[in-house]
Amino acid sequence: MNACKTVFFCLATSVTVHAQQDWGSSLTLEQSKKLFRKFEITLGEEFRLRDDFSTPDRIAGDLSVSYKPVQYLKAGVAYNPICFNHEKQGWEMRHRYYAYASGSYTFERFTLSLRERFQSTYRVGVEETAKRANPKQFLRSRLKLEYDVRKSGFEPYLSLEFYKPLNDPVDNRMNKIRYTAGTMYKINRRHALELFYRYTNFRDDDDTNGNHMIGLGYAFRF
C-alpha cells in the first residue's frame, strides 16, 4: 500500500512539474550572403510556440551585418523586430537592437568560442516605471563547444549562456541561464540544418515560451 502511495505521489509530482515548466518550440529560417570580402549580411525569420506547443509565442525577424577580420574573430550588429504574444496583454510589437563580438579557438576537431552580446529591447506602448525598464538592456555571454564529426556533416555542440541585466531598476544581478545541446548538419556548402534542445532556468516578460524548448532551423548561403 505504501508503495502504491509512493508511485502515485511521484506521478502527481511529475505532472505538476510538467505543468509549471511547459515546453515550447522554435522554427527558424536563415539566409546569408557575403557582401564583399570579410562582410556578410544575414536575414532570419523565427516562429515560436509555448504552453506545450499549443500557443503562438512570437513571430520575429532578424537583419544583421557581420565582419570577420580573421578566422577566429567575428563582430556584428543587428535589428530584431518581434511580434510578441504577451500572456496577459496579447500581441505587442517590440524592437530589439544588438551588437556582438566573438572569439574562437580550434584544437583537433573541437572549437571553443566565447560570444559577448549587448542587446536593447523596446516594447511599444509600455511605460517605464520604478520597477520596469523600457527598453530592457542585457549583456548576454555565451560559451560554446563544438565538435566536427569527420566526413559526416554533423557538428554537435553544447552551450551555456548567461543573461546579465544592465538597467533593471530593481536588481541587476544575473537572472537567467540557458543550457543548449544540439547539432548542425551541413547538407552541402550552401544548405544546413540545426536541431537543438534548450533549458532556460527563468521566465519573464521577454521569454515566456517555456523552460524547455525544441528547435529546428534551416540555413541557406547564397
Side-chain angles (χ1 to χ4, degrees):
M1 188 67 178
N2 289 334
C4 292
K5 290 182 178 179
T6 301
V7 171
F8 177 79
F9 175 77
C10 290
L11 290 174
T13 302
S14 176
V15 171
T16 302
V17 170
H18 180 71
Q20 293 173 345
Q21 301 185 352
D22 62 85
W23 287 73
S25 64
S26 170
L27 294 174
T28 60
L29 173 65
E30 184 179 283
Q31 307 154 76
S32 58
K33 180 177 177 59
K34 185 170 289 187
L35 291 175
F36 35 88
R37 190 169 179 266
K38 299 182 180 181
F39 283 88
E40 187 174 71
I41 186 170
T42 301
L43 176 64
E45 299 85 30
E46 181 182 24
F47 175 66
R48 292 189 190 180
L49 294 173
R50 65 169 187 263
D51 301 331
D52 295 332
F53 316 111
S54 65
T55 304
D57 181 77
R58 72 187 66 187
I59 303 170
D62 189 270
L63 177 63
S64 66
V65 177
S66 62
Y67 172 62
K68 196 171 185 178
V70 291
Q71 185 64 29
Y72 53 87
L73 289 177
K74 186 177 181 180
V77 294
Y79 167 59
N80 187 201
I82 304 169
C83 191
F84 181 80
N85 186 13
H86 195 279
E87 288 184 325
K88 297 179 180 179
Q89 301 174 18
W91 291 95
E92 66 178 39
M93 191 65 196
R94 300 180 176 187
H95 300 282
R96 175 172 295 171
Y97 307 88
Y98 63 89
Y100 68 90
S102 65
S104 62
Y105 175 71
T106 299
F107 53 100
E108 300 295 335
R109 305 191 70 83
F110 291 93
T111 298
L112 182 65
S113 62
L114 175 64
R115 188 219 63 204
E116 296 291 350
R117 167 172 156 175
F118 166 81
Q119 89 176 23
S120 178
T121 306
Y122 175 73
R123 299 172 62 186
V124 176
V126 175
E127 294 185 1
E128 190 170 53
T129 68
K131 295 184 178 181
R132 178 179 60 208
N134 191 29
K136 281 187 176 181
Q137 297 175 349
F138 284 89
L139 177 65
R140 294 171 53 173
S141 304
R142 187 191 69 193
L143 188 65
K144 186 176 183 180
L145 180 64
E146 304 167 83
Y147 181 72
D148 182 10
V149 181
R150 189 186 301 271
K151 297 181 180 180
S152 70
F154 285 97
E155 293 184 4
Y157 65 84
L158 297 171
S159 73
L160 187 62
E161 185 171 11
F162 302 91
Y163 283 63
K164 172 69 169 63
L166 298 177
N167 66 336
D168 191 319
V170 178
D171 189 353
N172 275 317
R173 290 178 295 181
M174 185 185 71
N175 64 3
K176 182 162 64 175
I177 304 176
R178 275 183 172 179
Y179 308 85
T180 306
T183 186
M184 294 291 298
Y185 175 65
K186 293 183 178 180
I187 302 171
N188 52 42
R189 293 182 62 183
R190 293 184 178 272
H191 303 269
L193 296 173
E194 180 181 15
L195 178 66
F196 68 83
Y197 163 75
R198 175 176 294 149
Y199 173 75
T200 305
N201 74 333
F202 181 79
R203 299 179 66 186
D204 61 13
D205 285 344
D206 282 322
D207 201 351
T208 58
N209 52 288
N211 296 90
H212 305 275
M213 175 184 283
I214 299 296
L216 177 64
Y218 166 72
F220 175 76
R221 297 176 66 91
F222 288 96

